[in-house]
Amino acid sequence: MKSDEWLLLERKVMFGECDSAGVIHFHNLLSFAHQSWEESLDKYGISYKDIFPSNNNKIERGLPIINCEANFLSPIELGCTLNIKVIPSKI
């Protein structure tokens, strides 16, 4: 695996994410961003316990999603494959 591969997620658009015309509902982009973030944690080996607080757990580091954007060059339709890139930065 290349050093930046864990930052990229390929995701197929599913039926339930689309309207009756087969185009995604725009709000699903936020869901895609969150799924990509979670998958990057798994691929990079970061435990959820290190990110999310619990009764017995003090957070060592925080990795919030602070920005999500998309450039629509054409409609995103059912069955399309999206390439979603997670870009971490220190804040």
Side-chain angles (χ1 to χ4, degrees), residues 34-91:
H34 199 273
Q35 291 168 17
S36 301
W37 176 80
E38 284 190 54
E39 187 166 319
S40 72
L41 294 178
D42 288 340
K43 285 184 178 181
Y44 199 60
I46 298 173
S47 170
Y48 294 134
K49 290 188 285 184
D50 291 340
I51 306 302
F52 300 107
S54 68
N55 293 335
N56 303 324
N57 182 29
K58 185 176 180 180
I59 296 179
E60 296 290 325
R61 57 191 142 176
L63 297 174
I65 296 173
I66 59 168
N67 184 54
C68 177
E69 62 184 74
N71 296 314
F72 293 93
L73 305 176
S74 63
I76 300 172
E77 299 173 326
L78 176 63
C80 285
T81 299
L82 303 177
N83 294 306
I84 304 167
K85 188 169 187 176
V86 176
I87 304 171
S89 61
K90 190 172 184 173
I91 54 174

